[in-house]
Amino acid sequence: MMGARSRAASLALSCFALSCLAGMPAMAEDRAPAKGNPAQPNGETLTIDEKGITLTFPDDVAKLRIGGKLQLDFGAAGIRQPGFPEPFPENIAVRRSWIESYLSLGKTLELAFQYDFADPTRPINDAAIAYTGFERTLLTVGNMKEPFSLDQLTSDNNTLFTERSLADAFAPARNFGFALGRHGEDWTMVASVFGGNANTGIRSEGVAATARATYAPIHEADRVLHFGLAGSFRDLPRDGQGLSLTSRSEAFLFQRNFVDTGDIRDAASVGRVGLEAAYRDGPFLLQAEYIRTTVERFGGARTVNFQGGYVQASLILNGQGRAYTLAPTYGTTYATFSGVQVPEAARVSRGGLGVFELGTRFSAIDLDDAGIRGGIERDVTVGLNWYPDRNIRIVADYIRSHTSPSALQGGRTIDADTFIGRFQLYW
């Protein structure tokens, strides 16, 4: 009988086969933007390029863009200690298969909707509307990322490795709420209020206040020094569901989590503080974060504290560095680094070799405190990204994991060696 993940993969591949047919001409050749067609009722134009399918109406009345992504993961893993079950139930699976749509109305409204066919529990990602009528200011309402963690706010298309670091277990990610963001020449500030996720119930997870501020004392075309500070406080409902913090050892294919607090059913609130720093010099990028999470509990139980962080570095061997983007078109993804660009001459379809990027990372998470023994894990990752052409990325990561005794694993140390590959198509 076909498993849930297999059914999701089959559905994703079927849906994206149609989407890829529409998008492949963009990868085969660049098409110049079409001029207004007087035969059309409103003079609208249709463009197909590396950004997807775009329908544009004259005089900036409206612009609709349809894009998507497909991430297909494959790999193998081995646990050095005997007696553990097979780490991967499947050696190949669809990580994400998104359809995205973006609608601009005039010069003041931006709408976004993203749907993931590979996620049966939280298929709706961003579903938001933003008002851009104020200078350097964004007002956004909807389901989107809370403004917390440089790693989390970086697009899934542009992360250095197949998965974010272990410390991403503390990032609140996407929920439904309201955010106000503003930026200057070298700084950004975002304040927000969020409820629960649109997929699982807006009122089901209490209310959170989350804010992030960044400053770039060096902000040049090829050199950037970035600092960030973020904080979040969420008041949890007393409904018995509690709070669980967990991490899957930086590989989507693992069937079990190596560190896991289990359900903290008496959790009353969760507070997060995140520190971030990054330095880019041409093709070289160094990035680090530290996150501390505090869980207060009902009934006078002792407050527990958890922590995690990472340091990672990347080097683009034959291309330009990742650009630093201060402000998004909507939402809270301020002050992030974009993806790797493939110059015309480097494209495989033009006779080039593509662009290559090397990366390495050390990350750690500590889920042990005050009687809660979720485990302590440390991972070292090395990876190679190959961008053979625009809209295509092939990833190869090796991860060495060491997990100290966790109550959920019977107090046994876990040492794992993992290879993860990814084929990524996005537009």
Side-chain angles (χ1 to χ4, degrees):
M1 184 175 180
M2 185 179 291
R5 185 177 292 178
S6 298
R7 291 195 297 271
S10 300
L11 175 61
L13 290 172
S14 299
C15 293
F16 263 84
L18 298 176
S19 301
C20 291
L21 289 176
M24 286 304 290
M27 285 161 257
E29 61 175 322
D30 290 332
R31 298 186 177 184
K35 297 181 180 180
N37 187 351
Q40 298 298 324
N42 300 297
E44 62 267 23
T45 61
L46 182 66
T47 304
I48 302 176
D49 57 22
E50 69 272 10
K51 295 182 179 180
I53 303 171
T54 304
L55 180 64
T56 305
F57 291 85
D59 303 321
D60 294 324
V61 172
K63 181 169 70 173
L64 173 65
R65 182 172 73 84
I66 299 175
K69 72 179 72 172
L70 171 64
Q71 296 176 348
L72 185 63
D73 285 10
F74 51 92
I79 296 178
R80 300 194 176 193
Q81 291 78 8
F84 284 94
E86 190 68 25
F88 291 174
E90 298 175 353
N91 294 99
I92 184 170
V94 174
R95 179 63 173 96
R96 296 179 180 92
S97 63
W98 287 19
I99 288 291
E100 307 173 343
S101 60
Y102 304 94
L103 176 63
S104 300
L105 296 176
K107 297 181 179 180
T108 59
L109 288 179
E110 298 285 340
L111 293 85
F113 182 77
Q114 302 169 344
Y115 192 90
D116 186 358
F117 293 96
D119 190 339
T121 58
R122 296 193 174 191
I124 298 174
N125 287 279
D126 283 1
I129 180 171
Y131 179 75
T132 62
F134 302 120
E135 184 179 5
R136 296 186 175 184
T137 302
L138 276 177
L139 299 171
T140 309
V141 178
N143 205 73
M144 56 187 162
K145 291 182 178 180
E146 295 189 31
F148 193 97
S149 173
L150 174 59
D151 197 22
Q152 174 57 224
L153 294 173
T154 300
S155 168
D156 298 318
N157 289 335
N158 304 330
T159 54
L160 180 57
F161 303 100
T162 57
E163 298 297 330
R164 296 180 174 90
S165 77
L166 294 172
D168 190 60
F170 299 133
R174 285 180 170 89
N175 286 301
F176 191 94
F178 167 85
L180 172 63
R182 186 168 174 79
H183 73 281
E185 294 294 335
D186 49 21
W187 60 270
T188 74
M189 293 189 66
V190 190
S192 62
V193 176
F194 282 87
N197 188 274
N199 296 278
T200 56
I202 298 173
R203 300 181 179 180
S204 64
E205 300 176 31
V207 178
T210 306
R212 177 174 178 256
T214 71
Y215 176 59
I218 301 175
H219 187 193
E220 303 170 359
D222 292 326
R223 200 160 68 101
V224 175
L225 178 61
H226 160 102
F227 296 104
L229 172 65
S232 178
F233 180 83
R234 178 174 289 272
D235 195 23
L236 300 173
R238 193 167 189 172
D239 55 7
Q241 294 185 7
L243 173 73
S244 177
L245 298 171
T246 182
S247 181
R248 199 185 289 185
S249 192
E250 301 179 357
F252 169 69
L253 296 176
F254 275 109
Q255 66 175 337
R256 63 162 57 191
N257 301 311
F258 284 3
V259 290
D260 191 339
T261 62
D263 290 331
I264 307 175
R265 296 191 176 277
D266 58 354
S269 65
V270 55
R272 302 173 172 95
V273 175
L275 302 175
E276 57 190 55
Y279 176 69
R280 178 204 162 190
D281 188 358
F284 174 75
L285 177 61
L286 178 66
Q287 180 176 314
E289 289 190 68
Y290 170 78
I291 301 175
R292 185 172 181 85
T293 298
T294 300
V295 180
E296 296 184 352
R297 302 153 79 181
F298 291 112
R302 182 179 169 184
T303 297
V304 291
N305 295 282
F306 308 115
Q307 60 185 335
Y310 70 90
V311 178
Q312 68 182 39
S314 64
L315 178 65
I316 300 173
L317 300 179
N318 59 333
Q320 298 179 344
R322 293 170 175 257
Y324 184 64
T325 304
L326 272 181
T329 54
Y330 73 93
T332 64
T333 55
Y334 283 81
T336 61
F337 291 91
S338 62
V340 174
Q341 300 299 311
V342 182
E344 182 71 14
R347 298 172 64 183
V348 170
S349 61
R350 299 294 190 266
L353 297 175
V355 175
F356 293 87
E357 180 183 36
L358 292 175
T360 185
R361 176 174 66 195
F362 171 78
S363 67
I365 189 170
D366 182 351
L367 296 181
D368 283 355
D369 191 41
I372 295 178
R373 293 291 178 261
I376 300 172
E377 182 174 352
R378 297 177 180 86
D379 287 1
V380 176
T381 304
V382 293
L384 173 66
N385 294 323
W386 179 39
Y387 305 83
D389 216 304
R390 295 173 184 172
N391 305 82
I392 299 174
R393 180 170 76 148
I394 297 173
V395 186
D397 292 343
Y398 167 74
I399 307 159
R400 179 72 169 90
S401 304
H402 175 77
T403 307
S404 298
S406 164
L408 294 181
Q409 303 295 347
R412 298 179 62 188
T413 296
I414 304 174
D415 291 286
D417 297 283
T418 307
F419 168 78
I420 292 291
R422 170 173 293 172
F423 171 79
Q424 177 173 302
L425 176 68
Y426 55 103
W427 63 91

